[in-house]
Amino acid sequence: MLRALAEAHRRLAELKGRAASIPNQAILIDSLVLQEAKASSEVENIVTTQDELFQARLFMDGPGSPAAKEVASYRDALKCGFDSLRQNHGLLTNNTIVEMFQVLKRTDEGFRATPGTALKNEATGTLVYVPPQSGADIVGHMTALERFINDDDASSLDPLVKMALIHHQFESIHPFTDGNGRIGRIINVLYLTRVGLLENPILYLSRYVTTHQADYYRLLQAVRDIIDRAADPGTDRRHARPHGGLQTGSPRTSFGTVFAGSAQQPLPPPLYSH
């Protein structure tokens, strides 16, 4: 773990230094952000071509590919978040996160306020995980997460470990009706700029997630299961949780509706101090 962290820090420092040596960083930022937008959207099965993407960039109101416009909206959401981060003196607030979601989905919605959201295995329809259902619970969890993101004295964890905890907790809260995975990946790179590991949001993470998609979803759920067992060690969770976890190799999860009487998996206890 320590060796992997040291190597990751070294690579980030190298990326940060090389980016700083480029005379016009705006060109690099725009190009990499578009590539990140494309790859992150592919994780959600929103697939487009480079030509469609650049056309959508130039003609957002034209009759172009809906998928390309969705990807372009991701780019705009990331830019919105980065601009807000600088304007707020390095604070990544819930208002910014909601604003990014609104740009991404072209909506005026905020955090989920009504129950009915669940994660399912897209291949089998099996219920995998039910995030918090109450609007008040979602706001409470996101308020705690906001403090954890921005209070550097709240934890002595390495920033990369802290980023992983932030990502897992955000995805477990699933505060929005859609787009949580993409917003969560934007938060990752914005957090790296917030703590100074990058000057600009140019880290291209989503291609790795796309390539290792099954592992990504499996491990997200595995951490929930570990916390669940720790919270209730006397229970055999394999039988207590009828919806189980993601099966190895399953492509992804999707949202579905949980009707009254369905078994629900509560949000694991936060992995951080309040």
Side-chain angles (χ1 to χ4, degrees):
M1 178 73 167
L2 293 176
R3 186 177 300 172
L5 281 172
E7 176 67 10
H9 276 278
R10 187 179 70 81
R11 296 286 188 178
L12 282 170
E14 183 179 354
L15 175 62
K16 182 178 178 180
R18 291 192 176 185
S21 68
I22 297 175
N24 188 350
Q25 289 193 42
I27 296 175
L28 173 67
I29 293 169
D30 202 39
S31 176
L32 287 179
V33 165
L34 280 171
Q35 294 305 312
E36 170 66 9
K38 182 175 182 292
S40 186
S41 299
E42 285 174 358
V43 178
E44 314 300 329
N45 284 351
I46 300 169
V47 181
T48 187
T49 66
Q50 296 287 358
D51 286 347
E52 289 174 335
L53 182 55
F54 283 103
Q55 287 173 14
R57 179 188 173 195
L58 293 173
F59 309 108
M60 282 296 292
D61 296 326
S65 160
K69 290 183 178 181
E70 188 93 358
V71 173
S73 292
Y74 178 100
R75 175 208 62 205
D76 294 340
L78 196 160
K79 184 179 184 301
C80 165
F82 185 53
D83 289 344
S84 179
L85 190 71
R86 291 186 293 185
Q87 292 166 8
N88 291 329
H89 308 289
L91 294 179
L92 181 52
T93 67
N94 278 339
N95 285 340
T96 296
I97 292 171
V98 169
E99 188 177 0
M100 290 191 301
F101 166 73
Q102 292 173 339
V103 171
L104 176 70
K105 299 305 298 180
R106 302 185 194 179
T107 180
D108 58 1
E109 292 180 14
F111 294 146
R112 287 187 290 112
T114 57
T117 296
L119 289 170
K120 292 183 178 180
N121 184 309
E122 193 174 68
T124 66
T126 304
L127 185 63
V128 173
Y129 173 70
V130 178
Q133 298 292 296
S134 160
D137 286 345
I138 292 168
V139 170
H141 285 301
M142 287 302 297
T143 299
L145 183 59
E146 180 185 50
R147 289 198 300 268
F148 185 64
I149 291 171
N150 294 292
D151 187 352
D152 296 327
D153 296 327
S155 171
S156 60
L157 291 169
D158 183 281
L160 293 179
V161 175
K162 189 172 175 180
M163 182 191 75
L165 293 178
I166 290 166
H167 184 69
H168 181 271
Q169 196 69 5
F170 178 83
E171 297 304 332
S172 294
I173 298 168
H174 254 77
F176 301 117
T177 55
D178 192 15
N180 293 282
R182 283 167 285 168
I183 294 297
R185 289 185 286 276
I186 291 175
I187 291 173
N188 283 346
V189 70
L190 291 182
Y191 183 75
L192 292 178
T193 64
R194 198 198 85 75
V195 297
L197 292 178
L198 291 175
E199 290 293 336
N200 294 292
I202 57 173
L203 186 61
Y204 189 7
L205 286 170
S206 293
R207 178 178 289 177
Y208 183 90
V209 175
T210 303
T211 305
H212 301 84
Q213 203 168 3
D215 285 339
Y216 171 72
Y217 287 112
R218 177 180 60 80
L219 292 170
L220 277 175
Q221 185 60 33
V223 174
R224 296 183 188 120
D225 292 341
I226 290 169
I227 297 170
D228 208 23
R229 286 194 296 270
D232 191 4
T235 302
D236 185 346
R237 307 307 296 179
R238 291 172 299 175
H239 302 294
R241 292 179 54 213
H243 51 274
L246 273 178
Q247 300 175 3
T248 303
S250 59
R252 63 189 296 269
T253 55
S254 64
F255 285 106
T257 300
V258 182
F259 297 99
S262 296
Q264 292 189 0
Q265 172 65 23
L267 180 74
L271 302 179
Y272 46 82
S273 300
H274 288 242

